[in-house]
Amino acid sequence: MKKTAVFPGSFDPMTNAHLDITRRASKLFNIVFLVSANAKKNCMFSVEERKAMIESVIGDDEDTKVEICTGLVSNYCYKNNIDYIIRGLRYSNAGEELDLANIWYETERIQTIFFPILTPQYKYLSSSRVRDYIRHKGDWEYMVPHTIYQIIKDKINKNQIQ
Ligand code: ADP
């Protein structure tokens, strides 16, 4: 039987890099996306919208669910008896990711499992790049899963994106 792992992040919005990580991680774990409601981050999408976008991708997959996280990821894991956290790894944030992995291990003995992106096209993808391309009308369609592209496009057409 698969163990459960949380995949925490802002997902503002979920990208194809997140999807790539999810696809590989789901071979090992049942996944709980933990969407951060951290008010300090200046998000383009509300936490409910970010959750709904991920749900549009996972559909009715019973091994995956999406939760909103209003507190610490480690507290969520402790309360729900979850011992694993999934994170992505890239050169630009490896130090930060290792710091987080250390904190999670020290506080609740949670093991972080890292997935580097191996698909060249998605290696340098980030949610912030997607947001920049949306704002400046670049080509961002290939950066996000198709259902998410349609949700965002719909918001753009209704002038609902700042
Ligand atoms: P945060 O808000 O903590 O930056 P994100 O929502 O952007 O988190 O991403 C969640 C996780 O996905 C992080 O571990 C981040 O490193 C990882 N990730 C996102 N894009 C990539 C990528 N292109 N390559 C590797 N990891 C990635």
Side-chain angles (χ1 to χ4, degrees):
M1 209 171 102
K2 283 195 245 179
K3 294 180 186 300
T4 299
V6 301
F7 185 8
S10 304
F11 304 105
D12 185 39
M14 181 191 200
T15 68
N16 279 327
H18 295 127
L19 182 59
D20 183 295
I21 293 167
T22 309
R23 284 207 174 115
R24 286 184 290 145
S26 65
K27 300 212 164 79
L28 305 171
F29 297 103
N30 293 329
I31 297 175
V32 181
F33 283 90
L34 217 45
V35 186
S36 164
N38 188 343
K40 277 193 208 139
K41 279 206 174 176
N42 209 355
C43 287
M44 179 176 267
F45 302 99
S46 72
V47 69
E48 291 79 14
E49 285 174 327
R50 287 179 272 139
K51 177 174 186 270
M53 284 193 266
I54 301 172
E55 283 168 342
S56 77
V57 177
I58 63 174
D60 51 14
D61 176 1
E62 284 173 4
D63 291 342
T64 311
K65 63 177 181 171
V66 193
E67 302 268 18
I68 289 173
C69 184
T70 49
L72 294 175
V73 170
S74 50
N75 284 351
Y76 179 92
C77 291
Y78 176 74
K79 280 188 200 138
N80 293 280
N81 242 323
I82 295 173
D83 297 325
Y84 299 95
I85 290 178
I86 292 161
R87 295 289 284 182
L89 204 55
R90 46 194 161 179
Y91 283 115
S92 57
N93 71 350
E96 230 172 86
E97 290 291 344
L98 288 172
D99 284 351
L100 276 175
N102 272 286
I103 290 167
W104 288 327
Y105 188 72
E106 273 168 25
T107 50
E108 300 298 345
R109 287 286 179 269
I110 304 161
Q111 300 280 3
T112 302
I113 316 291
F114 286 115
F115 288 85
I117 295 290
L118 304 172
T119 311
Q121 200 187 3
Y122 301 148
K123 235 179 213 167
Y124 306 105
L125 245 187
S126 63
S127 298
S128 66
R129 176 155 303 162
V130 176
R131 296 194 300 274
D132 275 352
Y133 274 58
I134 291 173
R135 285 199 183 99
H136 301 293
K137 302 185 176 24
D139 173 16
W140 52 276
E141 184 171 359
Y142 75 96
M143 299 182 187
V144 296
H146 190 63
T147 50
I148 295 188
Y149 174 76
Q150 286 178 319
I151 292 169
I152 298 176
K153 198 79 190 137
D154 195 46
K155 275 180 76 74
I156 292 172
N157 291 341
K158 290 178 182 155
N159 265 329
Q160 289 171 343
I161 302 257
Q162 310 297 324

